[in-house]
Amino acid sequence: MHHVPTPGDAERERSDVTGSDAFGDLVEPYRRELHLHCYRLLGSLTDADDVLQEVLLAAWRGLPAFNHRASLRTWLYRIATNRCLNAIRDGRRRIPVEPVPPFEPPEPTRRGDVPWLQPYPETPETRTARRETVELAFIAALQRLPPRQAATLVLRDVLGYSAAEVAGMLGTTEVAVKGTLQRARATLARPMEEPIKRDEQKLSRRFAEAFVDRDLDRLLALLTDDAWLAMPPAPHEYHGREAVRAFLRASWAATTSPESLRPTRANGQPAFVCHLAERRAGVLVLTCAGDRISGITRFLDDAVSARF
């Protein structure tokens, strides 16, 4: 009798994938870099977790047919890239519900368009990667590109695969890859160069002290003139010192509970796990520009903060 697969079968099969010693030994050297790859394309830590499991399951199922015409790493990246593109095409991103603030916020300067964006904890992969390829601004910019353009850009400019290899991964031609890459680079409109790095530890410490003390003037003095504040999954963004001042003043006035910041790193940038009266209250990531802070991104998803 023909067996009809059930959700339980898929779950058992997934368990077999992670429990197979031989398969696990084979893919383990690539697991974390594949996870980072999925995160780059999806912009979400949660979605990257889900898709990585799909990638491992697909690799396990396809291993008998793997004929070594490509390296194992290239084969795995091909599976991962196409699984990410499928997830985006099929609308399987987990887009969080827009939170309702417990106070009346000032009118935002603009509304963000990547509500699923999440921070990525510090790992050996993020420490060794070129920093500009893991920063939040780059991840957010990738989300605004057409998915195949984003995938082509990452495979070519971040991972260094040749046009021929990328064509094989995406099932297209080298000419198409070159055209897609050209359009992606033009849209991104930022050179992928290592940013100037100064004493971010000292700068972030000064920020934390001013933030915890709720000293607006001291905090704003650390910002660039065009600094911005964003709070995914809330779409509200505040651009410019005075807009940031207005939001923080309203936010701090709404609660008297003490807030603490515990230092960490996310996306190769200084970050803090926020605690409000000993309860996790999200993750705050700083974007630095020289000796000033150009961006503050506060992620309001408490579940994400548990990963840091």
Side-chain angles (χ1 to χ4, degrees), residues 65-269:
F66 175 54
N67 54 20
H68 295 280
R69 284 186 297 181
S71 71
L72 176 63
R73 181 175 184 266
T74 298
W75 181 66
L76 290 170
Y77 268 102
R78 176 178 185 166
I79 296 172
T81 301
N82 284 285
R83 289 285 165 165
C84 288
L85 293 176
N86 289 345
I88 296 169
R89 182 197 63 207
D90 297 342
R92 287 189 281 123
R93 275 198 176 109
R94 295 194 202 178
I95 300 179
V97 176
E98 180 180 331
V100 178
F103 61 95
E104 187 64 35
E107 187 66 24
T109 311
R110 67 180 71 164
R111 292 178 67 85
D113 57 351
V114 190
W116 59 87
L117 185 67
Q118 293 177 339
Y120 198 87
E122 186 89 334
T123 66
E125 286 66 36
T126 60
R127 285 194 292 269
T128 56
R130 287 157 51 203
R131 176 170 163 172
E132 72 276 18
T133 69
V134 294
E135 286 186 329
L136 279 173
F138 179 67
I139 302 301
L142 288 176
Q143 307 311 301
R144 298 184 181 102
L145 289 175
R148 287 180 72 85
Q149 285 188 25
T152 302
L153 183 83
V154 170
L155 291 171
R156 289 283 284 118
D157 286 358
V158 176
L159 297 171
Y161 282 108
S162 68
E165 288 171 319
V166 174
M169 290 179 179
L170 298 179
T172 186
T173 65
E174 288 186 55
V175 171
V177 166
K178 290 174 182 176
T180 301
L181 179 62
Q182 186 176 26
R183 289 191 294 276
R185 286 171 173 168
T187 303
L188 207 61
R190 60 172 288 208
M192 293 181 59
E193 298 173 354
E194 184 70 22
I196 297 173
K197 194 174 179 182
R198 296 204 170 92
D199 193 351
E200 290 182 346
Q201 185 175 2
K202 180 179 178 181
L203 182 59
S204 60
R205 184 172 62 247
R206 291 170 63 197
F207 171 88
E209 291 168 352
F211 189 94
V212 170
D213 292 344
R214 297 191 171 185
D215 189 330
L216 259 178
D217 290 336
R218 188 151 48 105
L219 188 150
L220 292 170
L222 301 174
L223 306 184
T224 60
D225 291 339
D226 58 351
W228 47 265
L229 168 67
M231 294 159 290
H236 305 75
E237 292 184 3
Y238 296 88
H239 291 252
R241 282 181 180 167
E242 291 312 307
V244 173
R245 180 196 296 274
F247 177 82
L248 289 178
R249 183 187 287 124
S251 174
W252 288 343
T255 176
T256 57
S257 300
E259 188 163 17
S260 63
L261 300 181
R262 300 182 183 177
T264 183
R265 290 188 69 80
N267 297 79
Q269 299 167 245

Side-chain angles (χ1 to χ4, degrees), residues 16-35 52-53 55-61 63 66 72-73 75-77 79:
D16 289 342
V17 168
T18 56
S20 169
D21 290 341
F23 180 78
D25 290 345
L26 190 66
V27 301
E28 186 58 35
Y30 309 103
R31 182 190 295 264
R32 291 189 302 194
E33 64 176 279
L34 289 170
H35 187 265
L52 179 61
Q53 289 301 311
V55 171
L56 296 178
L57 181 59
W60 182 67
R61 286 171 168 169
L63 194 59
F66 175 54
L72 176 63
R73 181 175 184 266
W75 181 66
L76 290 170
Y77 268 102
I79 296 172

